[in-house]
Amino acid sequence: MAGRARVSHGYQVTRLDAAACSSEGDLLRGIGAALDFPDFHGRSLDVFDDCFGDVAVYAAYGIVPEATGLVLVFTDFGVFAAAYPESGQIILDIVADNARRAALFGRRVMCLVHSSDPQIECAPVGAMPLLWNDAEQSNASRRVG
């Protein structure tokens, strides 16, 4: 589920295969393992919010020292979000809220969300709309084949 973190262009890039998760707890545990959350993590969204805040805002753990920022990449998030829409939305909101808080402390945190579903629709995350990249803006360019 979780890929190894690597540093690219100054950012620690941490990938997680969201489609491999069969529950909210699986995704939370995967994020926790990838970002070295304390052992008590993985039991609730509230604990995830606290621990991700420690990583994003304070770099207390989970970010390698040579990185100047964190990029959290969810691959095939549409599969997870289709099965657990409320949890998917809350997890993205938590990441967005903590990324904004991190910026207040001069830290950079981003989240990239991949989906193979060209029809996926997402509610605003952190009160901001999710936008397709320029190459996939129209519905026609999102279709495969």
Side-chain angles (χ1 to χ4, degrees):
M1 143 116 203
R4 296 175 66 201
R6 64 183 176 83
V7 176
S8 179
H9 300 286
Y11 286 86
Q12 175 179 312
V13 180
T14 301
R15 296 180 80 103
L16 297 119
D17 179 7
C21 299
S22 58
S23 70
E24 171 189 296
D26 280 352
L27 184 57
L28 294 176
R29 280 187 289 281
I31 297 168
L35 296 176
D36 296 324
F37 285 4
D39 291 337
F40 62 83
H41 172 265
R43 299 193 182 123
S44 74
L45 290 166
D46 288 335
V47 174
F48 169 65
D49 189 14
D50 290 342
C51 291
F52 193 75
D54 289 345
V55 170
V57 177
Y58 306 110
Y61 42 80
I63 297 179
V64 295
E66 63 271 18
T68 60
L70 172 68
V71 178
L72 187 59
V73 179
F74 291 117
T75 59
D76 286 319
F77 193 78
V79 174
F80 179 83
Y84 307 97
E86 185 176 354
S87 297
Q89 181 70 37
I90 292 169
I91 289 167
L92 293 180
D93 279 334
I94 288 170
V95 172
D97 290 344
N98 280 294
R100 273 197 290 271
R101 287 181 47 226
L104 295 173
F105 292 87
R107 303 194 189 288
R108 296 179 225 145
V109 176
M110 289 185 271
C111 182
L112 302 177
V113 180
H114 161 266
S115 176
S116 297
D117 178 2
Q119 301 305 315
I120 190 171
E121 292 186 24
C122 298
V125 172
M128 297 294 296
L130 294 183
L131 304 173
W132 287 94
N133 67 43
D134 291 339
E136 298 175 324
Q137 187 64 34
S138 70
N139 282 338
S141 63
R142 287 184 270 185
R143 298 194 202 306
V144 177

